[in-house]
Amino acid sequence: KRPRFEPGFWGENGIERIQREAGGWPHLVQLIAETIVDVINDEDKRQVDDELFERALNKAIVSGHNVLYQLLRGESTLPGEWDYLSSFRTRETQPLPGEEALYVSLRRRLLMEEASGEWRLRVPLMARWLKMRG
């Protein structure tokens, strides 16, 4: 029998929060949800709260290290692309890249979103990974 999770299990706006943290990327949505279930089962809890959610995100960047590494570093094939992305370790936003090819590549990969004329990483889980493990 398959487990069923009522919306309340995920906490207040939990499903939306998972979507937001994953930037809508299906694999990352699955990674976060699976990690939350693992953490909640280890602690024998019945509902996700903010603290558990944060701990699950920190655990997800460890268990999902290979996929996050591949998406950010492995697919950075242009000169300067990884350098640009890795700069997000220490800053939330930065100026758009000066090189057209780099701009096009990052845009095509759906990694960036505009914020007041600058760029920031579109997927918070990726930003967390960069800051803590990248």
Side-chain angles (χ1 to χ4, degrees):
K1 201 172 187 185
R2 299 178 92 183
R4 292 183 168 266
F5 300 100
E6 298 298 324
F9 167 84
W10 302 102
E12 187 175 339
N13 299 316
I15 293 170
E16 293 83 3
R17 189 172 178 194
I18 291 169
Q19 283 285 337
R20 186 175 56 252
E21 289 290 333
W25 291 43
H27 181 80
L28 300 180
V29 167
Q30 184 177 0
L31 171 66
I32 293 169
E34 177 183 24
T35 306
I36 288 171
V37 170
D38 288 346
V39 170
I40 211 165
N41 284 338
D42 289 345
E43 299 182 9
D44 198 31
K45 290 193 174 190
R46 296 197 176 280
Q47 185 176 9
V48 178
D49 58 26
D50 288 341
E51 180 192 355
L52 188 140
F53 194 92
E54 283 297 314
R55 283 187 285 119
L57 290 175
N58 289 334
K59 188 175 178 181
I61 62 170
V62 173
S63 62
H65 173 79
N66 289 345
V67 73
L68 291 162
Y69 178 93
Q70 182 59 34
L71 289 170
L72 290 167
R73 183 146 193 184
E75 293 183 10
S76 293
T77 58
L78 295 176
E81 196 166 9
W82 172 244
D83 294 333
Y84 184 84
L85 288 173
S86 65
S87 293
F88 286 105
R89 288 177 180 145
T90 58
R91 50 175 88 145
E92 295 293 317
T93 63
Q94 59 183 333
L96 280 64
E99 289 189 41
E100 180 70 16
L102 190 56
Y103 174 89
V104 169
S105 178
L106 292 169
R107 194 82 169 161
R108 176 188 53 79
R109 292 170 57 198
L110 302 175
L111 296 177
M112 300 294 133
E113 66 183 4
E114 193 164 326
S116 303
E118 293 191 313
W119 268 359
R120 76 168 150 238
L121 285 169
R122 192 177 71 77
V123 181
L125 191 68
M126 290 179 180
R128 182 182 297 254
W129 176 82
L130 268 173
K131 289 174 185 168
M132 298 174 82
R133 300 199 38 107

